[in-house]
Amino acid sequence: MLLESFLEMLNSDTYLNHIFLLSLDFLLLFILLVLLVFKISLRNLLSYGITKLSISSTIFNGCLSLGYIVFGVWKLKEQHQEYELVVHGITWLFVSLFISLRKKQTFLIVKIYSIIAFLLAMFLCITSMWKFKYDHGNAIDLLNGLSFVGAILLLCIGFIKGSECDETCYKPLQDFEDGITPFANAGFLGNLSFWWLNPLMKKGKSKTLEDEDVPHLRLADEAGTCFDQFNEKVDMLKRKDPLGKLSILMAILLCHKKSILISGVFALIKVLTLTTGPLFLHTFIKVAEGRESFKYEGFALTAGFFLAKCLESLAERQWLFRSRLIGLQVKSSLTAAIFHKQLHVLNAAKKTHSPGQIMNYVTVDAHKIGEFPFWFHQIWTTFLQLVLVLCVMYYSIGVAASAALVIVIVTVVANSPLSKLQLKYQTNLMIAQDKRLKAITEALAHMKVLKLYSWEKHFMDAISKLRSEETKWLSFVQTQKGYYLVLFWSSPILVSSATFVACYLFGVPLHVSNVFTFLASINLVQQPIRNLPDVVGAFIEAKVSLSRIVKFLEEPDMHTRDMKKKRQDDVNICINCTDVSWEMNTLKPTLKDINIDIKHGEKVAVCGEVGSGKSTLLSLILGEVPYINGTVDVYGKIAYVSQTAWIQTGTIQENILFGSNMEPQRYRQAIERSSLVKDLEMLPFGDLTEIGERGNNLSGGQKQRVQLARALYQDADIYLLDDPFSAVDAHTSTNLFNDYVMGALSGKTVLLVTHQVEFLPAFDSILLISSGKIMESGTFDELLTKSEEFQDLVSAQKTTSDPKCQEVHATNKRPMEAEIEFDNNVSSEERDDVVSLKGDQLIKAEEREVGDAGLKPYIQYLKHNKGFLYFSLAVIVHSMFVVGQYIQSYKLAIDLQDSSVSRLKLIRVYTVIGLSVILFLILRSVLAVKLGLGASKSVYTTLSSSLFFAPMSFFDSTPFGRMLSRVSSDLSIVDIELPFLLNYTVGSIIISYSTYVILCFFAPEVLLIIVLMIYVTILVQRYYNASAKELMRLNGTTKSLVANHLAESISGIMTIRAFGQEGRFFLKNLEFIDKNARPIFHTFSATEWLILRLEIICTIIMSSWMLGMTSLHSGSSGLTGMAFSYGLSLNAILVWCVQCHCTLENSIISVERLEQYMRIPSEESELVQTNHPLPGWPTCGKVEIRDLKVRYRPNAPLVLQGISCTFEGGQKIGVVGRTGSGKTTLISALFRLVEPTDGKIIIDECDISTIRLHDLRSRVGIIPQDATLFTGSVRYNLDPLSKYSDDQIWNVLDKCQLREAVQEKEGGLDSSVVQDGSNWSMGQRQLFCLGRALLKRSRILVLDEATASIDNATDAILQKTIRIEFADCTVITVAHRIPTVMDYTKVLAISDGKLVEFDEPKKLINKEGSLFRMLVKEYWARVEK
């Protein structure tokens, strides 16, 4: 009974319906009357500040009300007695005026009133749709439908805050002189139409956009705000459930729940308005057949269609724009969270999360999670749309719609196992990608070492094997995408065929109106269904990426070290620990029984053999050691100088200030006391000279002294100096010790780790460490008296020298003060590596393409591995698919009107054609996968070869982050996104333009309008492209800044934490994230700006076509229905086309960026690559240097100025000189890391510039200045090419004093070496490098300050080992320790790039004015001191 009453109420012709509506109308009028009389005066009720939205609502609803009143009066005149229309028109007029012109004080009342009006309009709309089911409808039903649009406007007004409506809507659109995006101040209509973007688009058309042209984000969208909000929600969840597992996903949802809800409302409006399309089609076909309900119904339908499509477009643009904005905020907050975590995470976590993986979390994973909000609402809107479409189908074809439902269910069920497989494949792909990225990160960071050892090809091959594993999983992922493409693209075809078969079986009559209403419904859901593979893929990728990021964010943080107030007993450092270890549950701790108290102002030296735990002691004080049993208390501010210098990309001044304010006097003192004055004078821009990444355009000594200046400028209480003098010569180290340690740091607490025992007498206390224990502590004299080990350490200093050297020093001795207090005339630091000479700065702004690159990047992509062939075939196959679909529809349209064609034959032909086009889909998927995999393999091979064989000058001048962003995010885009995007884009273009052709074919009268609109479309797209291209490129360059800053921060994390600079680095990271987010935000805003305008153009085209079809001719209703069904989906196709095109344009920038690094000139010419030396070369080891001149860049000053000398085979040559004289440049020239400007080097009668680099470097041994270990095992680090047996390796370890250390490790030769060898001490790393040389046993061996970080006793043993093992070889040694070369055959002394002297050491010592004699005297003066 109730159901019958309800159904009767829905029928607009019944009295029950009329009474119900009249009751609601009178209720609304009564409420309004009460408000006017009792509650609010008219003056307070109405707003004098009328907004644009209010004006729009007033005009629209006013016209609607007048329509009701006029139509009601007309009906009354014809004695239909439909007076309720007049009442409803008057009610709607007053209600709309009240809501539209309200004041913000009446906000709550308006909210309630707008909801009631919305429900009334919805009821009217439902009654009209119900009437359509049983009748043809009339003008009243059209008015009822339009009232729903008016109600939505009223609802918008009701739910917009007063401040937004009364103030924001009135604010004029501002240009962005203040730097903030106009979006922050745009009004409602400005937001709705993206009018706020016009100033930027205009600027982009008039000039090439640069970074400073792009406005800043709103405060709400900045990374800092997003991160704070994210952290707040995380803390809230922790408080709610302290013991439960933290849900990062829940925190993200809580942060953005309001934005998600608002975008969801827009998505709902879009779906509802989209579903009206088939109803318009149903009515329009009747009009085309001449069955009009009233005069001018065609025009009314056109107007209604235009309004519905405009509303649909506006809603969809807001939905997608807001979703993208949420995604950007999520990406920014996660990127910030990852960076913040790596600043505070325990060092133990770095074993499971390598720098390469952390980089991947930021460049790949955070990006994928940020992309997911764009697809989020499509999950439920697709299913809602399917439900609504099924309802329309049921309305048009009745029970036969069940067949469509069955096919949809089968599709969903078939998708389930595919989704699980996709999840598995995606997870494995990310793991493989991590491994490859970790390896390539390590290789690129240590490229100089790889080149010196000639290992670059081996490492490239090893990484290629990892890439092969990655490619295997990539092929699975891409194949899975192909399956999805076939499944979801074919499902609409199967649905239509199955439904027509069901119509035949159920006896449902097929005629033009119901068939094309059904097909139009199918066309509407085609796009959401086709997007399902992307939705599923995005969901799986986001799920995998989120789990990886969550795993990292859940790692424990290190204990925060707060600066404590000084104790009353003036103690700065107090340590009481029984066990200290870098690893949990280790049986052998790194340090044991450490109990020390260091008072304020004390100078404490730490000494001991290699690997004894000296650096670990400093790490313990810094709080870096993860596992300790005991307490460590530090009172005061710390400054730290690491053993391996860490220098930031930037100017020398920025590195010294390190975030502090400039105080000229203190700054000058820091430079002077660090012996940097002369160096800065020699640099092209002084202290404003840009330093390359990791300080690669400074020498080792310069980098250390910049570190010392940085520490001194901080004016700390405690100074921890980890062997800072090992990289400088005796003269410089003496100056530094006197001026810096004893002078500038007088009154400061100093812990100095050192192997230079000559400095020890000046210290208040000395800690002698051996095997992780403090064996002895006391003053120099006390230890000399009571410790035999210390006596051996000190005596080793003298026993390493030649007695003749000491004798000469004794006879030439001057007063001690004169020896020590040298003038601070340090010559320019090793211009060896100073690439940044007079001229431009070394580090250039990142290169990017400018202007419209046209088809160039596409051609670059398709030229790889038969790309053109696969792409051409894919285009042909897709064209066949589209043509097949049109033939299918055309045949259906003709046969429906031909009564002679049986319905069975019609359905059979339709189904056969449908199954045929599915074959084209399968073929297209196969071609897309082939294209993608082939291009990926070729791009990677070319890129890796280009990088690994690039000259060292490229690595010196290119920040690490730029390379990393290309081998991670850019390569990932080319691997995963580009092949299908390219196919989708071309396919969408074919479909959209073929739809235009069909519309023109069936209504040639509107050809002019369609052509005009297409022309306008092209103009708008060109206008858009001018700005969008540059915004996309800026996105590419700015994301390198984020990657570079992250990589730099990871490598210098100990220094950052020691100085307490985590906050500043985090703020800098936020700045870079925002800098990257700005072009991203304006890129997707510009995309929505473009699509909105193109959709309006499409709506105009379609409306014009409808007018043409109704007013000019009726034509065939079947063909009209076919054309209209395709025209209805024109907006959806266009949106898809533009989205694909914009995404493709964004992604193709990655090809541009990769291409830049795929054409780096090789360091070796093709001619030389085929020139091999004789087998066994070099046989003698004779080295001739003839007039050698070297400069690092064209037009730069010469670094080596005409050096000529000969090293006979088997001679031992020592290369000495002041710090910065050119010693390392000579070694670089010998290995051709830098090519001579003039002159040549000849080894055994063979000019090294005429042979292959691999032959040269593989046959000359070296122990480099930078001791580098790679991730892997001990065996792998000594013998990566697997040339030697275990016995040979153990024998070498014994000679290198490493056998005991390796045996103590679990696994022996298979024991692990973590990234950068950080689980081995610096001295041990240098011993490994010696081991490599001993295994290689080359005829020529070069030692580049190879034992600088080794204690004197170990150095003496090693020098003896080298003399024995390489007795018949040519040995060239660059040494700061003068005794090392005293028994050499000859000494080569270099000063300012010139050969000063070359003779036997004893002759040079006895020669007055000799540079070598001076260096010897300086060294022994320091020792005696």
Side-chain angles (χ1 to χ4, degrees), residues 582-608:
W582 289 99
E583 297 176 11
M584 186 181 283
N585 302 324
T586 181
L587 297 174
K588 192 173 185 302
T590 312
L591 294 176
K592 295 173 290 208
D593 303 324
I594 306 297
N595 297 290
I596 53 174
D597 288 337
I598 301 172
K599 292 188 176 181
H600 178 68
E602 271 194 88
K603 303 285 185 292
V604 179
V606 183
C607 56

Side-chain angles (χ1 to χ4, degrees), residues 343-344 561 622 637-640 658 714 1053-1065:
L343 286 174
H344 299 90
R561 179 180 56 79
L622 291 169
K637 182 182 177 183
I638 290 179
Y640 171 65
F658 207 53
Q714 298 305 308
I1053 189 62
M1054 273 187 72
T1055 302
I1056 294 166
R1057 294 204 280 223
F1059 284 94
Q1061 292 285 318
E1062 298 98 321
R1064 182 173 69 87
F1065 271 77

Side-chain angles (χ1 to χ4, degrees), residues 380-618:
W380 65 266
T381 54
T382 300
F383 289 105
L384 175 62
Q385 209 165 321
L386 278 171
V387 170
L388 293 172
V389 163
L390 284 169
C391 292
V392 174
M393 286 180 184
Y394 181 74
Y395 160 69
S396 58
I397 56 174
V399 72
S402 58
L405 181 62
V406 170
I407 296 295
V408 169
I409 292 170
V410 169
T411 303
V412 172
V413 171
N415 175 53
S416 181
L418 291 179
S419 298
K420 290 177 182 176
L421 279 176
Q422 182 81 341
L423 179 61
K424 174 189 169 184
Y425 295 154
Q426 189 65 39
T427 304
N428 286 322
L429 175 62
M430 296 305 293
I431 292 168
Q433 194 178 64
D434 276 346
K435 289 179 182 176
R436 192 257 308 167
L437 193 60
K438 180 180 178 181
I440 202 168
T441 298
E442 197 170 44
L444 293 174
H446 304 297
M447 187 55 71
K448 183 177 180 181
V449 173
L450 295 186
K451 289 184 179 297
L452 287 171
Y453 286 123
S454 191
W455 285 349
E456 61 264 56
K457 184 160 192 327
H458 167 76
F459 270 72
M460 188 177 77
D461 292 342
I463 294 167
S464 294
K465 287 180 182 176
L466 295 174
R467 173 66 178 180
S468 298
E469 178 71 12
E470 183 186 0
T471 305
K472 181 184 83 173
W473 293 111
L474 176 64
S475 67
F476 288 146
V477 169
Q478 295 294 61
T479 304
Q480 201 71 11
K481 277 191 174 184
Y483 291 152
Y484 276 132
L485 189 146
V486 173
L487 179 65
F488 290 109
W489 278 60
S490 62
S491 58
I493 300 169
L494 295 174
V495 164
S496 57
S497 298
T499 305
F500 287 145
V501 170
C503 286
Y504 177 76
L505 295 176
F506 289 120
V508 176
L510 297 179
H511 45 79
V512 173
S513 60
N514 71 344
V515 166
F516 281 104
T517 300
F518 162 71
L519 287 179
S521 305
I522 291 289
N523 284 342
L524 286 181
V525 291
Q526 264 190 350
Q527 203 47 53
I529 288 174
R530 286 171 180 174
N531 283 339
L532 274 178
D534 294 324
V535 175
V536 173
F539 175 76
I540 290 170
E541 286 177 358
K543 186 176 184 297
V544 172
S545 294
L546 185 63
S547 65
R548 285 154 50 82
I549 290 175
V550 167
K551 188 178 176 184
F552 178 62
L553 294 180
E554 287 177 346
E555 291 288 351
D557 286 350
M558 65 179 287
H559 179 68
T560 306
R561 179 180 56 79
D562 297 322
M563 191 173 74
K564 300 177 182 177
K565 294 180 180 178
K566 290 185 180 179
R567 297 197 330 190
Q568 290 181 351
D569 56 2
D570 227 17
V571 168
N572 274 144
I573 300 170
C574 179
I575 304 174
N576 291 291
C577 293
T578 54
D579 293 315
V580 175
S581 176
W582 289 99
E583 297 176 11
M584 186 181 283
N585 302 324
T586 181
L587 297 174
K588 192 173 185 302
T590 312
L591 294 176
K592 295 173 290 208
D593 303 324
I594 306 297
N595 297 290
I596 53 174
D597 288 337
I598 301 172
K599 292 188 176 181
H600 178 68
E602 271 194 88
K603 303 285 185 292
V604 179
V606 183
C607 56
E609 76 272 15
V610 170
S612 58
K614 302 182 295 297
S615 296
T616 301
L617 179 62
L618 298 192

